[in-house]
Amino acid sequence: MARHAAAAGLLVWAVLLMVVVLGAGSYSPTHERRLQNLFSALFPKGPLPLPVRIYCKQNTTLNAAIRDNTVVLTKANSSDPTQMWFQLYSSSSFVQPIGLRPFSLVNAATSQVVVIPPFSGEFPSCLAEPNNNQLQLTENFDLNKAREELWTRGAPRADGFYQVIVTKDPSMTLNGLLGNVRDGTVIGIYPSTTQAENTLWKLTSASPFPFSFP
Ligand SMILES: *[C@@H]1O[C@H](CO)[C@@H](O)[C@H](O)[C@H]1NC(C)=O
Ligand SMILES: *[C@@H]1O[C@H](CO)[C@@H](O)[C@H](O)[C@H]1NC(C)=O
């Protein structure tokens, strides 16, 4: 009995923590329940993982967000739920520390799964050109895509940033397309030839980098 109460307490705590982390008002218990239902095949027993924010080394005041159904870097805003992402780790038949397991990215606000485009072979040189290497999004949460569209964390450097590698094609990594990232930079994939600052990321639910959560 006491054990049940403790378990229930833990669950409530996890839910409360999520609401606090995501900012009161931007992420309701109803939304939490909806997500829990969507992800029920992935998390049949436990609470959802904490969402992460995605930062680029080149400009840490920016976060990955969804604008016009496109994944872009934009000014960090703790009240914008599209800046929160779930890393859904694949279960692995061989034992691997969780941080090294492939994961998919699901937006906490929209439940859309990030779809990795095939590399187009094109190297657009300005923002105005169409960029076929940009990340795509499923229309809704899609369990099959969540299982297929996988990323693997690269080895962290001394500063804690790492490349985010396309699991099925490790020659490609997550990229703030065209570099010199700014508000509005589209995020995509690109050949991982250098460890330029627009190819280095942190995915973290930990404060205070660079936020303190409300
Ligand atoms: C932060 O996001 C919230 C929710 O989307 C929005 O209402 C607010 O205007 C944003 N703040 C800034 C400074 O953009
Ligand atoms: C980071 O991006 C913001 C918004 O585009 C810009 O105002 C700021 O100057 C940039 N910082 C650096 C170090 O590039």
Side-chain angles (χ1 to χ4, degrees), residues 77 79-81:
N77 177 349
S79 303
D80 174 7

mmCIF file of all heavy atoms in Angstrom, residues 77 79-81, ligand 1:
data_model
loop_
_atom_site.group_PDB
_atom_site.id
_atom_site.type_symbol
_atom_site.label_atom_id
_atom_site.label_comp_id
_atom_site.label_asym_id
_atom_site.label_seq_id
_atom_site.Cartn_x
_atom_site.Cartn_y
_atom_site.Cartn_z
ATOM 1 N N ASN A 77 13.130 30.746 -25.914
ATOM 2 C CA ASN A 77 11.940 31.292 -25.254
ATOM 3 C C ASN A 77 11.309 30.142 -24.482
ATOM 4 O O ASN A 77 10.755 29.222 -25.075
ATOM 5 C CB ASN A 77 10.992 31.846 -26.330
ATOM 6 C CG ASN A 77 9.696 32.368 -25.740
ATOM 7 O OD1 ASN A 77 9.398 32.158 -24.561
ATOM 8 N ND2 ASN A 77 8.908 33.026 -26.578
ATOM 9 N N SER A 79 8.710 29.942 -22.957
ATOM 10 C CA SER A 79 7.254 29.809 -23.057
ATOM 11 C C SER A 79 6.819 29.258 -24.407
ATOM 12 O O SER A 79 5.632 29.149 -24.670
ATOM 13 C CB SER A 79 6.579 31.172 -22.867
ATOM 14 O OG SER A 79 6.946 31.722 -21.640
ATOM 15 N N ASP A 80 7.766 28.934 -25.269
ATOM 16 C CA ASP A 80 7.430 28.416 -26.591
ATOM 17 C C ASP A 80 7.566 26.896 -26.587
ATOM 18 O O ASP A 80 8.675 26.367 -26.635
ATOM 19 C CB ASP A 80 8.368 29.042 -27.628
ATOM 20 C CG ASP A 80 8.184 28.436 -29.019
ATOM 21 O OD1 ASP A 80 7.250 27.629 -29.200
ATOM 22 O OD2 ASP A 80 8.985 28.773 -29.905
ATOM 23 N N PRO A 81 6.435 26.185 -26.507
ATOM 24 C CA PRO A 81 6.537 24.724 -26.374
ATOM 25 C C PRO A 81 7.096 24.032 -27.609
ATOM 26 O O PRO A 81 7.520 22.883 -27.516
ATOM 27 C CB PRO A 81 5.095 24.274 -26.087
ATOM 28 C CG PRO A 81 4.235 25.387 -26.530
ATOM 29 C CD PRO A 81 5.033 26.655 -26.479
HETATM 30 C C1 LIG B 1 7.625 33.406 -26.326
HETATM 31 O O1 LIG B 1 6.694 32.431 -26.711
HETATM 32 C C2 LIG B 1 5.353 32.736 -26.331
HETATM 33 C C3 LIG B 1 4.495 31.521 -26.672
HETATM 34 O O2 LIG B 1 4.652 31.132 -28.011
HETATM 35 C C4 LIG B 1 4.919 34.002 -27.042
HETATM 36 O O3 LIG B 1 3.604 34.339 -26.657
HETATM 37 C C5 LIG B 1 5.872 35.136 -26.682
HETATM 38 O O4 LIG B 1 5.547 36.282 -27.431
HETATM 39 C C6 LIG B 1 7.305 34.736 -27.002
HETATM 40 N N1 LIG B 1 8.224 35.757 -26.520
HETATM 41 C C7 LIG B 1 9.116 36.323 -27.324
HETATM 42 C C8 LIG B 1 10.016 37.326 -26.672
HETATM 43 O O5 LIG B 1 9.190 36.062 -28.518
#
